[in-house]
Structure formats: structure tokens, C-alpha cells
């Protein structure tokens, strides 16, 4: 067991024993290989369930809003950014939250591995390598080659807020071109982009796993489930899928923390990130705002000023 895991467990044990929190939200080993699962530890004896490794992919902030009482939460950089946004939106109260910050080396893109090995039957992670036994073949991977796309360009691997920090920090990788992926998409012709997104929307089965994994999708009634007005039927077709994704991404403008949880949750491999990232780039350019990087900076779309790029917002 590495020292990060033992320190997380000891911190959780102590917080629960001292009655400082009612629950510690962290990760435990999942029932499938290379899959950790969120866990809710409520007694000091259960703290030994907690783990920490490259399979801890969920954004745990999504569970903080749904868990009553005082809670401690194990937070990577992106989880901590989501916690900041949720506090700014009055969905979480700082006094009820204890952030166990852990710097993050990135998480595994399981779909990339399964594309080569077929369904994963067994896997061992050790010293930057993964040995995978799959249904189609066995293969060894370097972690860097199967790191999630989001983590390849992550600029906030270290928690932006925390009450305690476990382990060391991670050096922030230098980006050669910011939003290179979005620029590549912007440089395509209209018809190329249309064809790309039509292809993506064809794959969607509207299971809403992307929405459910997202810490920012906390509405008690999502617009897709609304009966009056009824935006979408229960059926799945490309136009309605696009309406869902367009609505979702607009609701996330200036709020998405680029954690990739939605893309990883998608069973169909839909490139949801392409839409999220375009909106993130636009908000960054128009409002000079990045979601959740500071508790002090107000969310981009909650601030009004006379030089707002949308002239209709300003009454002369
Ligand atoms: S985006 Fe990836 S590397 Fe960055 S904090 Fe989140 S999981 Fe870690
Ligand atoms: S994009 Fe993926 S996760 Fe989201 S509703 Fe469609 S199939 Fe489900
Ligand atoms: S839209 Fe996706 S990437 Fe953005 S915060 Fe939600 S889960 Fe994370």
C-alpha cells in the first residue's frame, strides 16, 4: 500500500472518530478491473475501504450535493474546481465540507485499452505500467499512452481548495497551444463539422449517463425530463440527441471544469468533450473566465457590466 492511500485512510478515520464529519466520500475498488467506484465511509472501521490510484475517475463533487450532513471529500484538481463552482452556486456550504486534497497524475481511459484487448478480464497497475489480460489478447501499456484525453491537457492537477493535502504536488505540464483541439475543429469547414457531429449524435442512445456523472448537472428536474414544456420525446433520434447535447452544453457554459467525467461515463464513445471544450474556449475568450479556479472570482455568466459583449444585456 502506498503512503497516499494510508494517509487518506488515516485522515478519514480521524475525522470520523472525532465526529468532525458524518461521512467521507472517496473511492473503493470496483467490481470490474480498472474501475474504482465512489464510496461513502460512515464509520472509522470502514476507512480501510478507501483507495487511490489511476482508476479513481469519477468526479466526486457530483455526490457531495446529494449527500446530507457534514462531509469530507477526496478531491483531485478537477473535483476541487467543481466544489468551488458548487459553492459559488449555493449548492454546498463551506462549513459542511472538509476537502482532502490529492494531486493527480491523471486517470486511465479504459475504452482506449479495451479497443486493443477487448473486454478487460484482469489488470495490474505498477510503476507507470499496466498489464492487462483481455478477452482478445493480453498487453502491457505505459500509463502515459492510455491516459484520458482530458488529463493529457489538464492545467489543474493540484487541488485549488483543500483543508489537508495528501502526498506531493504534480508539476503542471506546459501547453504548447491552448485549446489546440478546439482550434483544429474550428478550422474544419461547416460541412465537415456538421458531418462530424451528425456522426457523433447518431451514436447517442440518450441514456443520460453523461448528465448523471456531471457535478454541475444538479437540477431537480432536468429540461429533458420536463413535461411542460416538453422539449424532447422519449424516442432516440439524431435531431433530439443534438437538442439534448446542445441544451446540456449551453447550461454548462462557464461552469464546466473539464473533468472528463461525462465522456468517460458515455457507453457509446460520443465525443461530448468537443462541445464542452468549444464553449469553454468561447467563455475564456469573451469573459476571461475559467470555472472553479478561484473562490473569489464570480462565475462568468453571473456578472453584468456595461461593456458586456452582448449589447442587448445593457440598457442605455
Ligand atoms: S482532469 Fe485528469 S489530471 Fe486533471 S485533475 Fe482531473 S483527473 Fe486529474
Ligand atoms: S452522449 Fe453518451 S452518455 Fe450521454 S446520453 Fe448519449 S449515449 Fe448516453
Ligand atoms: S460537462 Fe463533463 S467535463 Fe464538464 S464538468 Fe460536467 S462532467 Fe466534467
Amino acid at each position: 500500500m502506498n503512503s497516499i492511500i494510508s494517509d487518506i485512510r488515516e485522515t478519514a478515520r480521524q475525522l470520523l472518530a472525532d465526529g468532525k464529519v458524518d461521512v467521507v466520500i472517496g473511492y473503493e475498488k470496483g467490481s470490474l478491473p480498472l474501475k474504482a467506484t465512489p464510496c461513502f465511509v460512515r464509520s472509522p472501521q470502514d476507512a480501510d475501504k478507501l483507495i487511490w490510484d489511476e482508476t479513481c475517475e469519477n468526479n466526486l463533487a457530483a455526490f457531495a450535493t446529494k449527500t446530507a450532513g457534514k462531509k469530507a471529500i477526496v478531491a483531485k484538481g478537477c473535483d476541487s474546481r467543481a466544489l468551488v463552482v458548487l459553492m459559488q452556486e449555493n449548492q454546498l456550504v463551506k462549513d459542511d465540507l472538509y476537502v482532502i486534497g490529492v494531486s493527480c497524475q491523471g486517470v486511465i481511459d479504459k475504452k482506449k485499452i479495451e479497443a486493443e484487448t477487448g473486454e478487460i478480464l484482469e489488470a495490474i497497475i505498477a510503476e507507470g505500467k499496466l498489464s492487462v489480460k483481455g478477452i482478445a489478447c493480453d498487453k502491457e501499456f505505459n500509463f502515459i499512452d492510455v491516459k484520458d484525453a482530458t488529463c493529457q491537457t489538464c492545467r489543474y492537477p493540484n487541488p485549488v481548495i483543500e483543508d489537508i493535502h495528501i502526498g506531493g504536488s504534480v508539476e503542471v505540464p506546459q501547453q504548447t497551444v491552448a485549446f489546440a483541439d478546439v482550434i483544429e475543429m474550428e478550422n474544419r469547414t461547416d460541412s465537415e463539422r456538421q458531418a462530424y457531429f451528425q456522426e457523433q449524435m447518431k451514436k447517442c442512445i440518450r441514456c443520460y449517463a453523461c448528465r448523471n456523472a456531471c457535478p454541475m448537472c444538479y437540477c431537480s428536474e432536468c429540461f429533458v425530463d420536463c413535461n411542460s414544456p416538453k422539449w424532447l420525446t422519449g424516442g432516440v433520434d439524431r435531431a433530439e440527441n443534438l437538442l439534448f447535447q446542445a441544451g446540456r452544453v449551453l447550461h454548462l457554459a462557464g461552469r464546466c471544469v473539464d473533468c472528463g467525467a461525462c465522456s468517460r461515463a458515455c457507453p457509446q464513445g460520443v465525443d461530448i468533450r468537443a462541445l464542452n471544450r468549444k464553449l469553454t474556449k468561447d467563455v475564456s475568450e469573451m469573459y476571461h473566465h475559467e470555472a472553479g479556479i478561484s473562490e473569489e472570482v464570480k462565475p462568468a455568466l453571473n456578472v453584468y457590466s456595461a461593456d458586456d459583449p452582448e449589447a442587448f444585456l445593457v440598457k442605455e
Side-chain angles (χ1 to χ4, degrees):
M1 192 199 335
N2 69 39
S3 64
I4 295 183
I5 298 178
S6 53
D7 288 354
I8 290 174
R9 289 177 181 177
E10 189 47 40
T11 305
R13 216 178 338 261
Q14 207 58 56
L15 287 167
L16 289 162
D18 294 347
K20 289 192 175 148
V21 298
D22 303 310
V23 56
V24 177
I25 308 174
Y27 302 92
E28 66 180 321
K29 201 167 163 13
S31 54
L32 296 171
L34 292 186
K35 186 94 184 105
T37 193
C39 83
F40 302 82
V41 176
R42 295 180 191 276
S43 70
Q45 311 74 283
D46 286 341
D48 283 345
K49 288 205 280 192
L50 292 162
I51 62 157
W52 174 258
D53 63 20
E54 296 85 347
T55 67
C56 296
E57 61 166 42
N58 297 73
N59 189 325
L60 294 182
F63 300 91
T65 44
K66 296 171 189 127
T67 307
K70 285 190 180 285
K71 54 220 142 230
I73 181 162
V74 176
K76 315 183 275 294
C78 53
D79 307 54
S80 72
R81 287 179 65 191
L83 292 172
V84 168
V85 178
L86 291 169
M87 283 191 274
Q88 288 171 330
E89 296 181 354
N90 299 322
Q91 299 304 310
L92 286 175
V93 178
K94 195 167 186 185
D95 288 350
D96 286 348
L97 200 61
Y98 187 94
V99 180
I100 304 172
V102 191
S103 294
C104 174
Q105 302 280 356
V107 297
I108 291 166
D109 179 350
K110 214 176 151 191
K111 292 190 194 102
K112 218 184 246 177
I113 296 174
E114 282 175 335
E116 297 198 40
T117 64
E119 188 187 338
I120 301 168
L121 303 173
E122 268 177 52
I124 299 169
I125 311 175
E127 291 167 11
K129 291 205 185 297
L130 282 89
S131 301
V132 177
K133 190 176 166 52
I135 249 178
C137 68
D138 300 349
K139 191 164 176 183
E140 188 162 284
F141 297 87
N142 290 317
F143 169 58
I144 196 80
D145 298 328
V146 290
K147 192 155 134 170
D148 190 276
T150 306
C151 306
Q152 311 267 3
T153 53
C154 174
R155 292 171 49 242
Y156 299 97
N158 301 304
V160 296
I161 51 161
E162 56 192 3
D163 293 290
I164 187 172
H165 187 85
I166 308 275
S169 315
V170 169
E171 201 177 320
V172 181
Q174 291 299 311
Q175 270 188 296
T176 39
V177 183
F179 294 110
D181 49 336
V182 187
I183 294 167
E184 188 277 321
M185 184 62 75
E186 287 170 344
N187 286 340
R188 295 190 199 183
T189 63
D190 288 353
S191 50
E192 282 170 344
R193 270 201 304 276
Q194 186 180 27
Y196 181 78
F197 284 109
Q198 279 182 344
E199 205 45 48
Q200 296 304 312
M201 291 308 121
K202 248 202 283 186
K203 294 194 272 179
C204 175
I205 53 171
R206 287 239 306 286
C207 62
Y208 301 134
C210 49
R211 174 195 68 181
N212 298 347
C214 177
M216 301 310 152
C217 283
Y218 55 70
C219 294
S220 51
E221 187 179 33
C222 175
F223 77 101
V224 299
D225 300 321
C226 195
N227 278 324
S228 178
K230 196 161 183 60
W231 297 96
L232 298 172
T233 69
V236 176
D237 67 41
R238 206 178 56 198
E240 289 212 9
N241 295 348
L242 181 59
L243 182 62
F244 160 55
Q245 283 298 345
R248 191 188 75 88
V249 82
L250 283 169
H251 291 179
L252 289 158
R255 306 171 61 236
C256 170
V257 296
D258 201 11
C259 64
C262 49
S263 306
R264 288 190 294 273
C266 177
Q268 295 294 96
V270 177
D271 186 2
I272 308 166
R273 190 163 183 253
L275 293 170
N276 293 338
R277 292 270 296 162
K278 168 65 178 153
L279 265 282
T280 300
K281 177 172 178 280
D282 287 352
V283 170
S284 157
E285 288 171 356
M286 288 185 208
Y287 299 93
H288 312 291
H289 179 80
E290 271 188 283
I293 58 166
S294 156
E295 287 177 276
E296 281 73 48
V297 178
K298 289 215 160 99
L301 302 182
N302 289 14
V303 178
Y304 303 93
S305 74
D307 54 2
D308 194 290
E310 291 292 357
F312 75 88
L313 285 176
V314 182
K315 191 167 184 291
E316 295 293 343

